[in-house]
Amino acid sequence: MSGAILFMKEDLNLTEVQQEVLVGILSIISLLGSLAGGKTSDAIGRKWTIALAAVVFQSGAAIMSLAPSFTVLMIGRLLAGIGIGFGVMIAPVYIAEISPAISRGRLTSFPEICVNLGILLGYISNYAFSGLPVHLSWRVMLGVGILPSVFIGFALFVIPESPRWLVMRNRIDEARLVLAKTNESEREVEMRLSEIQQAARFANAEKYDSKAIWRELLNPTPGVRRMLITGCGIQCFQQITGIDATVYYSPTIFKEAGIKGNTQLLAATVAVGFTKTMLILIAIVLIDKVGRKPLLYVSTIGMTMCLLGLSLTLAFMGNGKLGILFAILWVCGNVAFFSIGIGPVCWVVSSEIFPLRLRAQASALGAVGSRVSSGAVTMSFLSVSRLITVGGTFFVFAVISALSVIFVHICVPETKGKSLEQIEMIFQDEKEWRGGEVELGDVERLVPKD
């Protein structure tokens, strides 16, 4: 959309407000898919919720690519948003539930890898199709987005259902077969199955209705309240630090820095997409070795520095070549630090901290917070930038990013190497939740004994 909007504005005579609504509504409307995704995934299973997400998104993308007007564009955008809402909620839940503890962090980061790869391919296709006639270029840019969801349709014939969902449905033998494919020994399979059955004992789908789940989330125990603070908080901070504004409006940022011409603007965005994708691959390697919290510290501190640097560059360095160079470096640095930490770690943490009986709905609630935050940022970026300049807007993002460092320090415990059931116990103890004793123990194990 970041590249397509340049040509849509010219072809359909879109106003600034229409551009903001078209870009930002995807995030807002996706909350409907995220909210429905929790109940849907408990009813029909994690696997078939993924299928539903793919079908809805395909329909929206097809309508957008053929749209003759802003109204029809919005209909397609709304459908695509609902499909994305299903997807961002169910993908990390499914992967967390099917993965062994030793590699869960790495595997749960895969949705973020695919998001970054999709962004890179989107930037490349924008650049590749920018030479087409105006009325055709943006339609092709949006239409190629259908292809990945077609691949998901074929993948459904291969991937299994979540073993935890199968246990909740008392389909124990099927769950055992799935665990046998993802664990190395029969002993490990039986141990994991026993843990899941114990966790699911009071969360059986027939005995624990959705109203009781939402009552527990809206009137939480201290442990569940801590989970909600961590899960929803990290989801919101991931977005209100301005990453979607950077991704969607990178051509606007580079234009402010002094780059002229649509083709040159889109070429610069390819560097952003490439940086984002490469760093997420590094994060996947590190997340189960280094841990979640160290990556979050590096990420949030680095983003704060880059956002502040971009703000100062846009405000004081004018439209010269040096200003353009620094703007590109700060934007690439921002997405790099995002991708090595809070980007993938956010989804890992929010998918693994909730108990089984609450996991689907709580993850949906966190995804809603993420989507609303993203929508608020993207639907106001152009208007706020006109009021306080683009540089001023990124200074605000820098301040928020500094606050996210404090949030990580206080509210996010380390979950590396722990089973989902062990993680649940961390949140029952406030001292362990705040990380003091857990982190001290980790440090003591690294100090050699005399």
Side-chain angles (χ1 to χ4, degrees):
M1 184 56 74
S2 66
I5 197 73
L6 299 173
F7 302 93
M8 295 161 69
K9 176 175 65 175
E10 183 178 346
D11 187 30
L12 301 179
N13 297 315
L14 301 183
T15 66
E16 186 178 90
V17 172
Q18 286 177 325
Q19 293 175 60
E20 285 184 320
V21 171
L22 188 62
V23 170
I25 198 66
L26 185 87
S27 296
I28 297 293
I29 202 65
S30 66
L31 68 87
L32 298 179
S34 294
L35 282 173
K39 188 172 183 179
T40 302
S41 67
D42 279 347
I44 67 175
R46 308 332 191 198
K47 175 179 176 178
W48 294 110
T49 303
I50 294 173
L52 179 62
V55 170
V56 174
F57 179 81
Q58 286 173 9
S59 302
I63 291 172
M64 282 192 293
S65 64
L66 299 173
S69 65
F70 175 74
T71 302
V72 179
L73 260 176
M74 284 298 297
I75 294 173
R77 192 73 166 159
L78 293 176
L79 283 173
I82 293 173
I84 288 174
F86 275 114
V88 298
M89 173 267 151
I90 193 58
V93 170
Y94 173 80
I95 297 174
E97 292 187 346
I98 205 169
S99 304
I102 192 171
S103 58
R104 189 180 58 248
R106 185 169 65 253
L107 293 174
T108 310
S109 299
F110 271 25
E112 188 67 18
I113 291 180
C114 294
V115 167
N116 282 274
L117 180 60
I119 289 170
L120 174 59
L121 293 176
Y123 283 146
I124 292 173
S125 69
N126 287 346
Y127 178 70
F129 299 128
S130 62
L132 295 175
V134 171
H135 72 282
L136 184 61
S137 57
W138 64 268
R139 298 181 188 277
V140 179
M141 292 174 185
L142 296 180
V144 294
I146 297 174
L147 298 178
S149 59
V150 172
F151 172 78
I152 291 176
F154 288 105
L156 290 170
F157 292 100
V158 180
I159 65 174
E161 182 55 85
S162 160
R164 286 172 174 80
W165 183 82
L166 291 171
V167 168
M168 288 174 67
R169 291 293 180 174
N170 291 321
R171 293 158 62 174
I172 307 300
D173 291 337
E174 293 177 61
R176 184 179 286 109
L177 289 174
V178 174
L179 288 169
K181 296 177 181 178
T182 57
N183 292 272
E184 294 183 355
S185 66
E186 184 176 341
R187 178 177 174 275
E188 189 175 353
V189 168
E190 293 302 323
M191 183 178 69
R192 296 299 301 132
L193 183 60
S194 176
E195 288 179 354
I196 294 170
Q197 287 178 296
Q198 185 177 359
R201 185 168 297 159
F202 300 106
N204 189 282
E206 287 80 17
K207 298 178 181 178
Y208 207 94
D209 63 88
S210 60
K211 289 184 179 179
I213 293 173
W214 284 112
R215 276 198 300 270
E216 184 168 358
L217 289 174
L218 295 175
N219 187 27
T221 61
V224 173
R225 184 182 301 113
R226 295 180 194 117
M227 294 174 189
L228 290 171
I229 290 172
T230 299
C232 295
I234 197 171
Q235 290 268 18
C236 290
F237 271 113
Q238 185 199 50
Q239 293 300 328
I240 60 178
T241 48
I243 189 63
D244 277 358
T246 305
V247 170
Y248 282 124
Y249 295 110
S250 52
T252 301
I253 298 167
F254 294 140
K255 188 174 183 180
E256 180 76 9
I259 298 179
K260 309 295 182 184
N262 288 341
T263 301
Q264 288 78 10
L265 288 171
L266 296 179
T269 63
V270 173
V272 176
F274 182 79
T275 302
K276 207 169 186 298
T277 303
M278 290 301 101
L279 268 293
I280 192 71
L281 295 176
I282 295 174
I284 301 314
V285 174
L286 296 177
I287 197 166
D288 282 320
K289 294 181 179 180
V290 176
R292 283 61 158 158
K293 199 159 184 174
L295 288 180
L296 285 173
Y297 278 134
V298 171
S299 176
T300 51
I301 293 171
M303 286 172 62
T304 302
M305 295 170 58
C306 290
L307 288 166
L308 181 60
L310 179 59
S311 170
L312 297 175
T313 297
L314 294 176
F316 299 113
M317 297 194 69
N319 294 325
K321 291 183 179 180
L322 191 60
I324 293 173
L325 176 62
F326 273 107
I328 294 175
L329 289 176
W330 290 128
V331 169
C332 288
N334 182 46
V335 299
F337 281 114
F338 175 88
S339 296
I340 204 170
I342 197 169
V345 173
C346 168
W347 297 109
V348 174
V349 170
S350 62
S351 66
E352 65 187 3
I353 62 176
F354 295 104
L356 179 58
R357 68 183 184 278
L358 305 176
R359 189 168 298 141
Q361 280 82 354
S363 295
L365 197 61
V368 168
S370 171
R371 294 299 88 200
V372 170
S373 301
S374 172
V377 169
T378 53
M379 290 181 75
S380 62
F381 179 79
L382 294 178
S383 298
V384 172
S385 295
R386 196 184 332 109
L387 289 175
I388 64 173
T389 74
V390 177
T393 304
F394 276 95
F395 180 78
V396 174
F397 289 147
V399 172
I400 296 172
S401 184
L403 294 176
S404 72
V405 180
I406 300 172
F407 175 82
V408 167
H409 178 69
I410 295 175
C411 299
V412 181
E414 181 56 76
T415 59
K416 181 189 72 171
K418 297 178 175 63
S419 72
L420 297 179
E421 291 70 31
Q422 289 172 329
I423 293 170
E424 182 179 345
M425 295 306 298
I426 291 176
F427 286 86
Q428 305 307 318
D429 187 313
E430 186 170 0
K431 289 183 179 179
E432 288 198 8
W433 173 56
R434 293 193 179 279
E437 293 183 2
V438 173
E439 289 178 7
L440 180 59
D442 291 340
V443 172
E444 288 174 346
R445 282 193 293 272
L446 294 175
V447 177
K449 299 280 194 285
D450 290 333

